[in-house]
Amino acid sequence: MSLRAPRQHTAEIRLPADIDWQMLDKSKFFLLGAALFSGVSATLYPVVVLKTRQQVSASSIPSVKLGLNILRHEGVSGLYRGFGTSLLGTIPARALYMSALEITKSNVGMIAMQVGLPEPGAAAVANAAAGLSASVAAQMVWTPVDVVSQRLMVQNKEGGPSSTHYRGGFDAFRTILKMDGWRGLYRGFGMSILTYAPSNALWWASYCLTQRTVWRSLGYGQNANGVVLQAPSHGLVVGVQGASAACAGGVAALVTTPLDTIKTRLQVMEGEEKKRLTVRQTVNTLLKEGGWKACYKGLGPRWATMSMSATTMITTYEFLKRMSTKQECAGAS
C-alpha cells in the first residue's frame, strides 16, 4: 500500500497500482472475490488434506507416500474430503477477512502517518494491524468450518483419529453440535487465533517490506514531489507481488507450524473416554512421538501450501482489486 503525506522531503517507494478501500466497487469486489477465491481454494485443497493428515498421524509419513496411499485406497475424492463444507464457509469468511483487512489498513495507515511515522514504517504497521484484525474477524466463521472439514479430511474408509464416523459435512456439524454443543464447533478457537493472527500480521508486514525492498532494488520509486520516476510493466508488477508473497508465506509457515499442529490435533483428535484433549496433553503427546521435531509435522506441505497460497492469493487479490476499481478512480490507480 502507499500512504501519502502532505509533504515529502525524501524519496519514497510508491507501490504500483495501489488501490485503497474507498476506490473499490464493493458489490463487484465481493462477488468476483467469491468466484476467484473458490477456484484458488479448489486448486490448493489436496495439499491442505496432506498437511492435516500428517499432523494427526502418530508416525512420520512423507508427503508423496501419503498422497499416493490416499489415491490408491480412497481415490481422488480422498484428497477432497470436506471440500464442500470448506468452500461453503470460505465465502463469508473471505468477505469478513477482506473487509476487515482493507478498512483496518486504510485507517491505521493514516493514523500512523499522522503521529509522524515515515511512509514505509506506517505501511508496515498498517499491514500488520490489518492482517491481525482480518484474521480474528475471519476465525469467527472459519473455526467451526475448520473443525468440520478437518474431521472429514482425516476420515477414511476405516475411520480416523475420531471414533465417530460422519456421512458428510451436515452430519458432522449436527453430530458435533449434539455431542459437544457450540463449544465443540469452536474447539481450538484460542489456538486458531494464536496461530493465524500473528501469522497474518507477520505475513502482511513481511509482504509489505519485501515489496518495498524489491522495488527499491529495481530502481522504482518516486521523487521528493511524489512523482513516480518509472512505471513498471503489468507483468513485472505481478511477478514482484508473487515473489514477495511467496517469501512472506515461507517465513510465516516456519514460525507458526508448531501452533498449527497443536491446533489441528485439538480440533480433530480425542483423548481417553472421548474427552477433549488439552493443550498440555497435546504437546506432551507430540514430544513423546518425536520431540520438538514432531511439532513441525506437516511443515513441508504447510510451507508449500502457504507459499503457493500466498502467491496465488495475492496475485488474485491484487487482480480482484484492479477489476473492482470504480470507473472514476481507474485512471488514478
Side-chain angles (χ1 to χ4, degrees):
M1 67 179 282
S2 175
L3 303 169
R4 300 169 182 79
R7 297 176 62 87
Q8 297 284 348
H9 299 289
T10 58
E12 300 284 3
I13 298 298
R14 181 187 188 278
L15 302 192
D18 188 37
I19 299 167
D20 296 326
W21 176 249
Q22 293 81 3
M23 300 165 66
L24 296 173
D25 180 331
K26 307 304 186 296
S27 58
K28 187 185 290 186
F29 181 66
F30 289 122
L31 286 173
L32 284 175
L36 288 170
F37 285 116
S38 294
V40 172
S41 297
T43 304
L44 298 173
Y45 194 79
V47 186
V48 179
V49 172
L50 291 179
K51 183 268 300 182
T52 303
R53 290 210 182 184
Q54 279 188 325
Q55 288 178 328
V56 300
S57 174
S59 58
S60 297
I61 307 174
S63 303
V64 175
K65 182 180 179 181
L66 178 59
L68 291 174
N69 284 342
I70 293 173
L71 288 173
R72 188 179 301 115
H73 296 105
E74 303 173 49
V76 176
S77 63
L79 293 172
Y80 279 91
R81 288 191 181 278
F83 178 67
T85 302
S86 177
L87 185 62
L88 194 65
T90 293
I91 295 173
R94 284 284 174 197
L96 268 174
Y97 186 94
M98 292 187 295
S99 300
L101 180 76
E102 292 298 330
I103 293 170
T104 305
K105 191 191 299 184
S106 179
N107 292 332
V108 173
M110 284 304 174
I111 292 170
M113 290 287 288
Q114 289 169 5
V115 298
L117 283 179
E119 198 269 352
V125 170
N127 274 269
L132 189 72
S133 67
S135 178
V136 172
Q139 284 306 314
M140 297 299 295
V141 174
W142 189 249
T143 296
V145 174
D146 217 15
V147 169
V148 173
S149 62
Q150 286 184 338
R151 296 280 184 101
L152 296 173
M153 281 182 202
V154 301
Q155 178 175 273
N156 53 35
K157 293 177 181 178
E158 288 74 40
S162 173
S163 58
T164 307
H165 187 83
Y166 305 108
R167 295 190 298 273
F170 181 73
D171 181 55
F173 176 85
R174 184 177 56 187
T175 302
I176 295 168
L177 192 61
K178 182 180 179 180
M179 294 176 64
D180 301 323
W182 287 100
R183 187 179 178 186
L185 289 170
Y186 278 90
R187 181 184 290 192
F189 177 72
M191 284 302 301
S192 294
I193 296 297
L194 286 175
T195 301
Y196 294 121
S199 174
N200 271 265
L202 178 62
W203 190 92
W204 280 103
S206 299
Y207 172 67
C208 171
L209 294 173
T210 303
Q211 267 209 93
R212 277 169 166 72
T213 301
V214 173
W215 286 123
R216 186 178 288 110
S217 67
L218 294 175
Y220 291 91
Q222 64 185 30
N223 61 21
N225 296 318
V227 178
V228 179
L229 302 177
Q230 187 180 1
S233 66
H234 174 67
L236 182 58
V237 170
V238 173
V240 169
Q241 289 172 342
S244 301
C247 291
V251 171
L254 188 62
V255 173
T256 61
T257 290
L259 292 172
D260 187 60
T261 301
I262 296 168
K263 173 197 73 73
T264 301
R265 289 200 167 204
L266 284 173
Q267 292 178 330
V268 170
M269 302 181 77
E270 295 174 346
E272 296 179 0
E273 300 178 359
K274 295 187 180 182
K275 290 183 179 179
R276 291 177 52 170
L277 291 169
T278 65
V279 173
R280 176 177 289 185
Q281 288 172 328
T282 304
V283 172
N284 287 339
T285 302
L286 282 167
L287 293 177
K288 288 177 183 177
E289 289 175 4
W292 287 105
K293 187 178 179 181
C295 294
Y296 279 90
K297 284 185 176 184
L299 175 61
R302 188 161 194 262
W303 183 294
T305 301
M306 288 191 71
S307 295
M308 289 190 298
S309 176
T311 302
T312 53
M313 289 290 185
I314 201 64
T315 51
T316 301
Y317 187 62
E318 297 289 0
F319 172 74
L320 169 64
K321 288 173 71 176
R322 288 194 293 273
M323 290 289 291
S324 305
T325 305
K326 295 175 182 175
Q327 194 169 12
E328 61 269 24
C329 299
S333 64

